[in-house]
Amino acid sequence: MASVHDQMAAAGKVKRSKDLPQGVERLKEEHRKVVKDCRSQIEHWKKVENDYESLQERLRTLPDKLSYDIMVPFGPLAFMPGKLVHTNELTVLLGDNWFAKCSAKQADALVEHRKKHVKNTLDDLQKVMKNFQNRADFTDDLEKLTGDTGDFVDIREEVINEEEVTKGKHRLAHKANSKPKQVYLLELEEDKEKKEGDDERTTGVLSEEELWARLDELERQEELQDERYRLDSTDTNGEDTTSSSEEEKEADGGSDVQVNGHQKENGWLPTSITSQMNGTNGSHPEDEEEEDCDEEAGNGLPTIYFSHTAEFKKVRINTGKNTTLKFSERNEQKAQAKRKKKSGKSNGHSPHESYKITSPADIYRVFVDLVNGEPIPRKSILKSRSRENSMCSDTSESSTADFEERRAAFGRSWSHDDATHSDTSDGITEEESPTGTSPRTNGRFEAFTGTVIEKDPLPCSIPHLTIAPPALPTIPERKLEEVGPEAPQEPPKRMSKFKATQLHQK
Amino acid sequence: MAEAIHKKLQSELEKYQQMQKDVSKSMSSRQKLEAQLTENNIVKEELALLDSQNTVYKLIGPVLVKQDLDEAKATVSKRLEYINGEIQRYESLLKEMERKSEQHREVLSSLQQEYQRAQGQAVGKFQKGKKKI
């Protein structure tokens, strides 16, 4: 046993735990054995099939002549010239010591029947071989996954305090008493249908209750599994990638029972969290305020860590005249973080030292309302001015009049948000249209793409003047693209507004 | 004290090995039966392909004995049923033996633990030797 163990350890890759390569090697060996067995069996049966083919040929040619001159085997060592007669009379072995006298054609039919059996066996063997081949390939992939080789990157996010994630009440779906209406309906129906027996009625009610009970049970199980997976994250080697990713999705959805209501959000959130595998810290995407610098988890995959900042707010976005989208800031920051990571640059954009933006949260600090001379933090950058006393507006027409005024009045022209918004959205959509489109497909996050101000978030008025005009002609198209699916009525309004601004400028 | 346990261990081990051999024997006979089953199935199908004009023979020792086609079909069917019955019998037998061997295995492991406690390191080596077997 010890020698075998040593051999395995020597043959396999040296990893932190010796059991892992040994187990994988053993598994691969078993797979290979089965595949080899299958191959040899397939060889054998193919030979049998060929034999039957040649036999059939012989059977077809045999009755051509009445008799053949042949060399008859005489014992083990001698042959004798002789004749083959009665060429159409054959004694066929049917199996199990049964014989039958048949003609050549009948024998042909029998052989055909046997060939069918052989073909079936061959097919089965092929299937088994393919199956085990797939298994072997899968273990290979698994090995690559756990090791440093391959293109797999683990992206992890450490959630410190889960309570911060969702402020306010937790939205629960499928609570037992959350849908009383249906029950009432049922009862009404039952009252009406008095023809049916009591048993049926009671069973109908019970099944409803059972369903809810079952749903509760399942929810509880899922939560338990979430806990388990989180705890066992060091143990699993990515074997449950798909299932754990689903678990993670729901875990990230607020670590509570946001099962159905937030499926889309969850889908969007951890697209990067695909496996539960640990890896060494490959790259740190950004230096945000609260970061977990877990450098070494002692695992094989390169890992990218990102985390959120402390401020989690619900952001309301005004994407049109009267439409607002509501989503949690957490999503936005995550997406921003991802995009930042993708773009490879972190926060080197802001030229102004006074408002140096190193994280999305900084943007909110910068964009404050000036109410009576006092800065009040604003809930959303894109809040429509008509709604609140904010200086930011997106698409509403009321902002157009103040556009010039604001630009003149304030050094930091954050009021340009629609222009910047469009500008940046333009830039952003140019840069990162793939990421922009994907949230767009989730109905909630369309305007969301526009809030990310990566390029030059605080331009001074002069450079902005230069930037704005060339951007303007193209913006309507972009806007059309962006808002097309949502509010088809918007583009004409925007165009008019931009024309107005152009006129203003002139 | 250790010696007694050691002896007990030996006897239990032998019994267990015997059980394992029985199990493997029944397994192989069951496999043979399976092969016969498939063969007889093929014979049955091929007999169906023939007509009464062909003469059917049965090989009994060195002699080919003429048989009637219908008789042959009946015989083959009966044999098939017999084989099926045998297979089922062997199945139940195998299950029984599996259960018994499980019991033996448990007894063995408990005895091993006792022996370990009684002896200490020497048992470790002994165990390794046993596992190699």
Side-chain angles (χ1 to χ4, degrees):
Chain A
M1 271 293 262
S3 62
V4 172
H5 180 96
D6 290 338
Q7 265 181 8
M8 293 287 200
K13 299 172 195 163
V14 178
K15 294 208 177 133
R16 311 131 231 130
S17 65
K18 281 193 180 174
D19 292 336
L20 175 61
Q22 189 186 19
V24 172
E25 275 302 314
R26 179 91 203 288
L27 189 64
K28 281 210 272 194
E29 252 191 54
E30 289 293 320
H31 282 150
R32 264 180 252 143
K33 223 197 284 178
V34 174
V35 172
K36 224 194 292 181
D37 272 340
C38 277
R39 278 221 182 90
S40 60
Q41 285 217 348
I42 284 174
E43 282 275 328
H44 168 256
W45 284 108
K46 276 212 172 111
K47 223 191 287 178
V48 168
E49 201 180 10
N50 283 333
D51 283 344
Y52 274 130
E53 295 268 330
S54 47
L55 179 65
Q56 271 187 316
E57 271 302 308
R58 174 63 73 234
L59 286 174
R60 280 180 207 130
T61 61
L62 200 58
D64 289 346
K65 290 206 319 192
L66 277 171
S67 63
Y68 290 91
D69 291 318
I70 54 168
M71 294 295 275
V72 185
F74 215 66
L77 298 165
F79 289 87
M80 234 191 79
K83 275 197 158 123
L84 192 66
V85 296
H86 297 295
T87 50
N88 208 25
E89 292 173 29
L90 296 153
T91 310
V92 180
L93 171 65
L94 304 174
D96 194 26
N97 289 342
W98 286 98
F99 290 83
K101 255 204 165 73
C102 339
S103 71
K105 286 226 172 111
Q106 285 167 331
D108 198 23
L110 284 170
V111 169
E112 201 57 51
H113 173 255
R114 281 191 208 170
K115 269 207 311 190
K116 230 197 295 177
H117 269 274
V118 170
K119 266 208 182 86
N120 285 337
T121 322
L122 259 178
D123 284 340
D124 286 341
L125 279 171
Q126 294 274 19
K127 267 188 228 168
V128 170
M129 198 176 80
K130 217 196 288 183
N131 196 4
F132 274 91
Q133 192 67 42
N134 285 339
R135 284 196 210 178
D137 290 339
F138 180 66
T139 46
D140 265 341
D141 281 341
L142 212 63
E143 218 180 351
K144 255 195 264 171
L145 231 60
T146 53
D148 281 327
T149 59
D151 301 331
F152 298 98
V153 174
D154 191 20
I155 302 175
R156 302 190 102 204
E157 182 208 340
E158 311 277 342
V159 180
I160 320 153
N161 190 359
E162 294 172 14
E163 285 183 7
E164 287 181 13
V165 167
T166 49
K167 280 187 184 165
K169 51 178 182 175
H170 293 182
R171 285 193 250 172
L172 296 169
H174 288 303
K175 233 190 173 175
N177 301 320
S178 62
K179 292 189 183 181
K181 288 181 188 173
Q182 269 191 355
V183 178
Y184 291 148
L185 273 174
L186 250 177
E187 287 178 4
L188 274 171
E189 284 175 10
E190 286 167 352
D191 286 336
K192 282 178 188 171
E193 299 171 0
K194 291 200 174 176
K195 295 171 194 171
E196 299 177 52
D198 282 344
D199 297 352
E200 290 186 24
R201 258 182 263 153
T202 49
T203 50
V205 172
L206 270 175
S207 64
E208 190 77 25
E209 290 174 5
E210 274 176 358
L211 274 172
W212 295 126
R214 180 96 182 109
L215 276 165
D216 283 339
E217 214 184 287
L218 287 169
E219 281 170 14
R220 262 176 260 131
Q221 279 180 9
E222 276 176 330
E223 284 181 50
L224 283 171
Q225 274 184 327
D226 292 347
E227 293 294 330
R228 229 178 287 135
Y229 273 117
R230 227 175 282 134
L231 289 169
D232 294 343
S233 61
T234 50
D235 295 336
T236 57
N237 285 319
E239 287 194 29
D240 323 272
T241 42
T242 47
S243 60
S244 66
S245 70
E246 284 172 12
E247 241 75 60
E248 272 267 290
K249 278 185 194 173
E250 304 197 313
D252 279 336
S255 78
D256 44 47
V257 193
Q258 288 189 6
V259 174
N260 291 313
H262 297 278
Q263 270 302 334
K264 274 191 176 174
E265 276 186 42
N266 297 342
W268 168 238
L269 290 177
T271 47
S272 50
I273 302 174
T274 50
S275 68
Q276 281 239 2
M277 286 183 304
N278 310 311
T280 53
N281 195 358
S283 62
H284 251 291
E286 61 255 359
D287 23 335
E288 286 181 290
E289 293 156 32
E290 295 183 7
E291 253 192 8
D292 304 358
C293 293
D294 290 9
E295 279 295 328
E296 183 59 42
N299 300 307
L301 262 189
T303 312
I304 297 171
Y305 288 91
F306 68 85
S307 61
H308 298 297
T309 52
E311 306 168 33
F312 296 136
K313 283 190 212 167
K314 293 244 181 208
V315 178
R316 201 165 265 156
I317 295 180
N318 190 6
T319 51
K321 196 145 198 224
N322 288 318
T323 58
T324 53
L325 289 179
K326 200 174 176 186
F327 62 96
S328 80
E329 188 173 315
R330 183 163 159 268
N331 299 347
E332 176 193 351
Q333 284 181 348
K334 262 202 175 175
Q336 284 176 359
K338 274 189 225 158
R339 245 181 257 113
K340 285 196 175 180
K341 178 177 65 64
K342 274 191 184 174
S343 67
K345 298 173 191 164
S346 56
N347 327 306
H349 297 301
S350 57
H352 304 269
E353 291 160 45
S354 49
Y355 0 97
K356 180 163 173 70
I357 293 185
T358 53
S359 70
D362 296 344
I363 299 172
Y364 287 94
R365 246 189 293 113
V366 162
F367 289 83
V368 295
D369 292 347
L370 280 176
V371 177
N372 302 328
E374 286 180 7
I376 294 177
R378 212 190 317 147
K379 273 192 205 169
S380 143
I381 301 175
L382 295 182
K383 260 290 159 45
S384 137
R385 201 171 56 94
S386 57
R387 285 197 161 215
E388 296 179 2
N389 205 5
S390 72
M391 304 306 286
C392 153
S393 68
D394 185 13
T395 57
S396 56
E397 291 168 336
S398 54
S399 64
T400 53
D402 295 75
F403 192 77
E404 264 298 317
E405 177 196 312
R406 267 183 269 137
R407 256 213 275 139
F410 300 105
R412 22 181 181 123
S413 45
W414 43 257
S415 59
H416 276 302
D417 271 308
D418 47 280
T420 25
H421 164 65
S422 48
D423 182 4
T424 50
S425 69
D426 191 11
I428 284 162
T429 48
E430 278 169 5
E431 276 183 26
E432 307 171 292
S433 39
T435 55
T437 47
S438 56
R440 219 168 284 137
T441 51
N442 295 345
R444 294 172 168 243
F445 302 105
E446 283 169 14
F448 170 53
T449 59
T451 63
V452 179
I453 301 171
E454 275 208 32
K455 271 190 188 177
D456 207 16
L458 302 168
C460 41
S461 49
I462 300 167
H464 200 78
L465 274 168
T466 56
I467 292 168
L472 285 175
T474 61
I475 288 167
E477 302 159 25
R478 293 283 179 191
K479 283 284 177 188
L480 276 168
E481 266 180 50
E482 278 174 41
V483 190
E486 231 207 6
Q489 292 176 0
E490 289 315 304
K493 288 183 191 170
R494 284 189 204 156
M495 281 173 74
S496 61
K497 180 186 74 178
F498 284 123
K499 274 186 186 165
T501 56
Q502 249 181 335
L503 289 170
H504 272 287
Q505 282 171 27
K506 281 175 190 168
Chain B
M1 160 67 167
E3 284 304 311
I5 297 176
H6 180 64
K7 281 207 192 100
K8 248 201 273 179
L9 203 62
Q10 286 278 51
S11 58
E12 276 299 321
L13 195 70
E14 277 170 19
K15 271 192 239 164
Y16 184 66
Q17 282 174 344
Q18 191 60 36
M19 276 254 93
Q20 287 290 88
K21 273 191 216 148
D22 290 337
V23 167
S24 56
K25 247 193 273 173
S26 356
M27 279 287 275
S28 58
S29 44
R30 186 168 171 274
Q31 276 173 352
K32 252 188 267 168
L33 280 173
E34 291 252 2
Q36 283 183 349
L37 183 76
T38 37
E39 198 181 4
N40 272 285
N41 269 319
I42 292 182
V43 171
K44 191 166 173 205
E45 286 165 17
E46 288 185 353
L47 279 175
L49 284 172
L50 296 171
D51 52 22
S52 52
Q53 196 260 319
N54 316 99
T55 38
V56 181
Y57 297 92
K58 179 140 173 90
L59 185 70
I60 303 177
V63 180
L64 270 177
V65 180
K66 203 161 161 190
Q67 296 273 344
D68 198 17
L69 181 67
D70 298 323
E71 259 186 62
K73 282 188 189 165
T75 317
V76 171
S77 314
K78 270 195 222 140
R79 183 148 172 80
L80 263 174
E81 283 172 29
Y82 169 72
I83 290 174
N84 274 319
E86 285 281 290
I87 284 180
Q88 284 183 11
R89 195 170 65 85
Y90 269 96
E91 281 268 307
S92 52
L93 202 69
L94 225 60
K95 250 190 250 177
E96 260 303 309
M97 286 211 244
E98 272 289 333
R99 209 170 44 80
K100 273 196 216 154
S101 61
E102 269 295 324
Q103 283 177 355
H104 269 267
R105 227 176 290 159
E106 282 170 23
V107 169
L108 262 178
S109 58
S110 60
L111 271 178
Q112 271 179 356
Q113 281 178 12
E114 269 188 52
Y115 196 64
Q116 257 186 343
R117 261 182 269 124
Q119 272 224 338
Q121 274 205 354
V123 180
K125 289 184 199 162
F126 177 68
Q127 263 193 331
K128 272 194 186 171
K130 287 228 175 293
K131 278 185 183 168
K132 274 185 183 162
I133 291 168

